[in-house]
């Protein structure tokens, strides 16, 4: 691309010809208020808040549609721009809820920050309220059409990932987000709409107050466990670089919040790796149930159960990492410590909204108990930390409690391809009795929506595929229908880039940001001495316990089942 010079408030900036002036400003740390712009989605210019003025003629334009050209001179905050911008924002945000969970916690979302900065009260104008209540998307997310500004981002991302559950409904000022009535289309609870909504009209179902309540209960032993991705993303909420590993700070923060034990979902990921690797080898030997699909992502599992029920037998029966570790702590750890498991509360911190949905599945209960009681998103944890005035960047790091020990293979679960790579490391050992020399399977890494590779393990050549988003799985599904032997092993994740780009992650979440988070996860793996699940001593202790149980009890802790789902089920 041709490089050109543009001038923002008289200062020269070099950029690519044709790039939007809004993007040029953001690339250089200059904030222009905006709501409907997202660099990975179509340019709509719906919100009319990113206004700037052309120096040559005084014309006011939206900066998201104004393209960089040689010598272009733009003024960002002239009195005329500020006046029109404020009027547009007052119309747009007339009914914004100033008392949402974020604002009550003193955690200002972008909407509140912009309203405060530009003196927008929302009182001068009142738009027509849409007569619709908050719609729940399972037990994962929700949307309030009365807070919607019709920016269309949630609809566009829902189409982009291949679901098309959301739509814009109504006309003119009454246009708001709603869902399709088509019985053949259902939400998969991935939460991509929540991470692309600029005003929290689409959001996770908050569990912050539930967690704060149990933290105050002296009768409860509250355990927190962190998903792989959270440690490489939550720092963004506090101004730290994208992808920075803040694991140690997280552990300290949890103790300041009052959690009794600080464990880790990564330990559960190592359990999942063991179970899944063994099952893969078993299926390869019997040549039944191939290709085997991963099942760590509940959004993907919901997608398969609703849209592709013919492939249910192909899902691995392994439970997901948060369910494996939650179950381990309420059985193995509780018995070892002599603690009544009914007194234990497990809180997972996840980059995901669909994990809330998963945690409530009765089929996953163990002895009538939920393996995970509450699942918070990365954003919810950030709200809690800010609400309790914890200065996260300044925290000194601390260590996880021993029972949260994990391998580098667990850390990469957050990246697309990480689940498969972790399982392949252990499968190689189980087949050959030796450690895989290179340790890393670069063939399954990266941001591509579909990655295909042939992987050699001993005398076995595996045909594998790694898939991100429902749209891309449709391509793979069609291949399998034509040739059932096309693959042996397939990893699928609902979100772009895998869990690291999940619906519960910090906003904004763009492909560029996701790539930096992924780099952070692989850096964690490279820096660890323990890099394979089967070498984890805590996991070995856990398996000694479950192997001593009757088969029915053991299976209830390690495995799960699936069934065809109806709409809204």
């Amino acid at each position: 691309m041709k490089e050109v010079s543009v001038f923002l408030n008289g200062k020269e900036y070099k950029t690519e010809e044709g790039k939007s002036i809004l993007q040029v400003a953001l690339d250089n740390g200059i904030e222009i208020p905006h709501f409907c712009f997202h660099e990975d989605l179509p340019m709509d210019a719906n919100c009319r808040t990113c206004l700037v003025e052309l120096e040559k003629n005084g014309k006011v334009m939206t900066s998201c549609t104004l393209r960089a050209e040689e010598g272009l001179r733009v003024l960002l905050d002239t009195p005329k721009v500020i006046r029109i911008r404020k009027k547009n924002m007052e119309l747009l945000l007339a009914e914004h809820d100033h008392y949402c969970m974020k604002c009550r916690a003193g955690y200002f979302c972008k909407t509140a920050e912009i309203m405060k900065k530009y003196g927008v009260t929302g009182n001068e104008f009142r738009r027509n309220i849409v007569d619709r209540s908050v719609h729940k998307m399972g037990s994962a997310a929700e949307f309030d059409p009365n807070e919607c500004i019709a920016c269309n981002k949630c609809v566009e991302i829902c189409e982009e990932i291949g679901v098309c559950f959301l739509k814009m409904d109504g006309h003119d000022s009454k246009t708001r987000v709603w869902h399709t009535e088509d019985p053949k289309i259902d939400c998969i609870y991935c939460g991509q709409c929540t991470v692309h909504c600029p005003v929290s009209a689409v959001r996770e179902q908050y569990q912050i107050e539930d967690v704060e309540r149990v933290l105050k209960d002296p009768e409860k032993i509250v355990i927190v466990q962190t998903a792989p991705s959270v440690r490489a993303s939550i720092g963004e909420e506090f101004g730290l670089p994208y992808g920075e590993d803040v694991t140690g700070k997280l552990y300290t923060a949890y103790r300041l919040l009052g959690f009794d034990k600080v464990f880790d979902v990564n330990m559960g990921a190592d359990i999942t790796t063991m179970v899944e690797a063994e099952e893969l080898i078993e299926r390869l030997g019997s040549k039944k149930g191939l290709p085997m699909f991963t099942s760590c992502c509940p959004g993907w599992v919901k997608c398969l159960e609703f849209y592709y029920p013919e492939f249910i037998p192909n899902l691995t029966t392994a439970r997901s990492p948060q369910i494996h570790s939650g179950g381990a702590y309420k059985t193995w750890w509780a018995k070892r410590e002599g603690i009544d498991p009914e007194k234990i509360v497990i809180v997972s911190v996840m980059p995901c909204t669909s994990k809330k949905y998963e945690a409530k599945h009765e089929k996953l209960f163990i002895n009538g108990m939920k393996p995970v009681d509450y699942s918070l998103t990365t954003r919810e944890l950030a709200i809690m930390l800010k609400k309790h005035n914890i200065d996260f960047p300044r925290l000194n790091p601390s260590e996880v409690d021993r029972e949260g020990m994990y391998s580098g293979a667990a850390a990469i679960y957050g990246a697309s391809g990480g689940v498969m790579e972790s399982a392949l490391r252990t499968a190689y050992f189980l087949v050959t009795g030796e450690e895989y020399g290179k340790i890393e399977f670069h063939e399954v890494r990266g941001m591509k929506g579909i990655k295909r590779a042939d992987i050699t393990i001993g005398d076995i050549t595996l045909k594998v595929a790694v898939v991100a988003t429902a749209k891309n799985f449709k391509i793979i599904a069609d291949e399998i229908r034509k040739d059932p032997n096309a693959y042996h092993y397939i990893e699928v994740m609902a979100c772009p880039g895998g869990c690291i780009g999940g619906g519960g992650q910090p906003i904004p979440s763009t492909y560029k940001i996701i790539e930096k988070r992924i780099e952070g996860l692989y850096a964690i793996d490279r820096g660890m001495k323990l890099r394979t699940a089967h070498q984890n001593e805590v996991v070995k202790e856990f398996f000694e316990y479950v192997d001593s149980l009757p088969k029915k009890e053991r299976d209830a802790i390690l495995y799960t089942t699936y069934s065809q789902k109806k709409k809204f089920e």
Side-chain angles (χ1 to χ4, degrees):
M1 295 288 289
K2 180 181 177 182
E3 185 178 77
V4 297
S5 292
V6 298
F7 297 83
L8 307 183
N9 284 348
K11 185 175 180 180
E12 182 180 4
Y13 295 91
K14 298 288 187 181
T15 188
E16 295 176 1
E17 185 177 39
K19 180 177 284 190
S20 77
I21 292 300
L22 176 56
Q23 188 66 62
V24 175
L26 296 175
D27 288 346
N28 288 280
I30 302 170
E31 178 62 30
I32 297 175
H34 60 278
F35 292 103
C36 71
F37 172 79
H38 191 285
E39 63 182 72
D40 300 329
L41 296 174
M43 208 83 68
D44 298 316
N46 286 334
C47 72
R48 318 300 293 179
T49 58
C50 67
L51 300 175
V52 294
E53 183 177 339
L54 297 182
E55 189 174 322
K56 65 179 180 180
N57 58 16
K59 185 177 180 181
V60 175
M61 300 183 64
T62 51
S63 59
C64 65
T65 58
L66 180 60
R67 300 295 176 179
E69 59 183 45
E70 181 61 42
L72 181 67
R73 306 184 74 89
V74 178
L75 301 174
L76 307 182
D77 293 296
T78 65
K80 180 164 60 173
V81 164
I82 291 173
R83 185 179 68 254
I84 299 172
R85 182 188 287 161
K86 180 179 178 182
K87 186 79 70 175
N88 286 349
M89 283 194 283
E90 286 173 335
L91 287 164
L92 191 70
L93 302 171
E95 300 299 334
H96 179 68
D97 183 357
H98 301 269
Y99 302 100
C100 67
M101 176 65 74
K102 291 182 178 180
C103 294
R104 291 205 306 273
Y107 170 92
F108 290 103
C109 60
K110 185 172 75 171
T111 310
E113 289 174 343
I114 290 175
M115 292 176 75
K116 182 178 180 181
K117 180 177 180 179
Y118 292 94
V120 178
T121 64
N123 294 326
E124 184 176 350
F125 298 94
R126 308 290 289 182
R127 60 176 169 78
N128 294 320
I129 295 296
V130 177
D131 186 22
R132 284 175 174 162
S133 59
V134 174
H135 180 83
K136 304 289 185 180
M137 291 183 275
S139 51
E142 63 188 25
F143 61 88
D144 184 349
N146 295 309
E147 291 192 17
C148 175
I149 61 171
C151 70
N152 207 41
K153 295 299 107 175
C154 61
V155 175
E156 289 171 350
I157 190 62
C158 197
E159 292 174 350
E160 176 65 24
I161 64 171
V163 178
C164 302
F165 175 72
L166 297 177
K167 65 177 182 177
M168 299 311 296
D169 193 33
H171 302 284
D172 303 322
S173 65
K174 293 185 178 180
T175 302
R176 299 290 177 264
V177 64
W178 197 237
H179 62 79
T180 178
E181 287 78 21
D182 188 336
K184 296 181 181 179
I185 299 176
D186 197 15
C187 178
I188 64 172
Y189 312 138
C190 68
Q192 283 300 303
C193 50
T194 73
V195 82
H196 286 80
C197 177
V199 294
S200 294
V202 191
R203 55 193 175 248
E204 61 268 61
Q205 293 179 27
Y206 291 124
Q207 295 181 316
I208 296 171
E209 292 174 347
D210 296 323
V211 172
E212 290 178 330
R213 185 173 59 254
V214 296
L215 283 171
K216 294 175 182 177
D217 187 344
E219 298 298 316
K220 299 296 184 183
I221 297 170
V222 189
I223 295 171
V224 65
Q225 54 174 7
T226 308
S229 294
V230 177
R231 68 206 70 216
S233 62
I234 194 170
E236 298 165 27
E237 295 278 7
F238 299 88
L240 297 176
Y242 299 122
E244 181 169 321
D245 175 19
V246 294
T247 306
K249 292 181 185 294
L250 269 176
Y251 296 152
T252 301
Y254 290 141
R255 294 182 172 103
L256 291 174
L257 286 172
F259 287 97
D260 297 299
K261 299 297 292 186
V262 178
F263 293 157
D264 212 298
V265 171
N266 281 8
M267 194 283 282
D270 279 340
I271 294 174
T272 304
T273 292
M274 294 295 295
V275 176
E276 190 158 314
E278 289 176 355
E279 185 172 2
L280 175 62
I281 293 169
E282 181 182 321
R283 292 195 187 201
L284 289 170
S286 67
K287 297 183 179 180
K288 294 180 180 179
L290 296 173
M292 188 177 84
F293 298 142
T294 61
S295 65
C296 288
C297 171
W300 146 242
V301 171
K302 170 64 190 296
C303 176
L304 183 140
E305 289 179 320
F306 182 82
Y307 292 101
Y308 305 97
E310 71 269 33
F311 292 135
I312 285 176
N314 297 85
L315 282 167
T316 172
T317 60
R319 293 179 164 216
S320 77
Q322 75 155 351
I323 301 300
H324 268 144
S325 50
Y329 297 136
K330 286 195 176 184
T331 55
W332 156 72
W333 182 78
K335 184 173 183 180
R336 195 193 70 185
E337 298 297 314
I339 297 172
D340 180 358
E342 295 285 352
K343 293 183 177 181
I344 296 175
V345 176
I346 305 288
V347 178
S348 296
V349 182
M350 311 299 290
C352 181
T353 57
S354 66
K355 289 294 180 181
K356 294 175 180 285
Y357 159 76
E358 177 187 56
K360 292 191 176 182
H361 284 346
E362 290 187 8
K363 69 177 184 179
L364 297 173
F365 288 12
I366 301 172
N367 299 324
M369 297 179 296
K370 296 178 181 178
V372 172
D373 297 280
Y374 302 104
S375 181
L376 300 176
T377 63
T378 311
R379 296 191 297 268
E380 285 177 280
L381 177 60
I383 292 171
M384 284 186 70
L385 295 175
K386 294 183 180 184
K387 179 180 179 180
H388 292 273
N389 298 312
I390 293 175
D391 190 352
F392 190 77
R394 293 181 179 273
L395 294 180
N396 291 320
S398 61
E399 297 297 321
V400 70
D401 291 328
R402 181 182 178 276
E403 293 79 3
M405 181 191 296
Y406 58 89
S407 72
I412 64 174
Y413 257 61
S416 173
V419 176
M420 175 173 286
E421 181 170 349
S422 300
L424 290 176
R425 292 181 188 181
T426 290
Y428 186 94
F429 174 78
L430 295 176
V431 169
T432 67
E434 301 174 355
E435 298 296 342
Y436 184 67
K438 294 186 298 182
I439 205 70
E440 297 171 349
F441 291 84
H442 290 275
E443 303 94 324
V444 297
R445 296 183 178 184
M447 278 289 292
K448 286 179 62 178
I450 299 176
K451 292 162 281 190
R452 302 176 178 87
D454 289 344
I455 304 288
T456 301
I457 297 179
D459 58 359
I460 302 171
T461 298
L462 290 179
K463 298 177 181 179
V464 304
V466 174
V467 185
T469 77
K471 177 188 287 186
N472 287 315
F473 179 73
K474 185 179 185 302
I475 296 170
I476 295 296
D478 289 341
E479 290 181 16
I480 298 171
R481 285 165 178 153
K482 292 178 181 177
D483 179 9
N485 299 314
Y487 302 98
H488 297 103
Y489 189 25
I490 300 174
E491 176 193 306
V492 189
M493 294 288 172
C495 296
C499 305
I500 201 72
Q505 289 284 63
I507 299 171
S509 187
T510 67
Y511 295 145
K512 290 179 183 177
I513 293 172
I514 293 169
E515 286 177 344
K516 291 180 180 179
R517 295 172 184 163
I518 290 173
E519 291 171 6
L521 293 179
Y522 286 118
I524 293 172
D525 173 41
R526 288 193 301 272
M528 297 191 71
K529 293 181 181 179
L530 177 65
R531 299 188 65 191
T532 58
H534 54 273
Q535 294 176 328
N536 186 333
E537 292 299 324
V538 171
V539 170
K540 290 179 182 178
E541 291 176 20
F542 164 74
F543 274 101
E544 287 177 5
Y545 166 77
V546 294
D547 287 343
S548 70
L549 298 174
K551 184 178 184 302
K552 185 176 181 181
E553 291 182 37
R554 181 181 187 275
D555 290 353
I557 297 172
L558 297 181
Y559 306 109
T560 187
T561 58
Y562 310 95
S563 59
Q564 185 172 355
K565 293 289 186 290
K566 299 177 182 177
K567 186 161 183 165
F568 300 135
E569 186 178 356

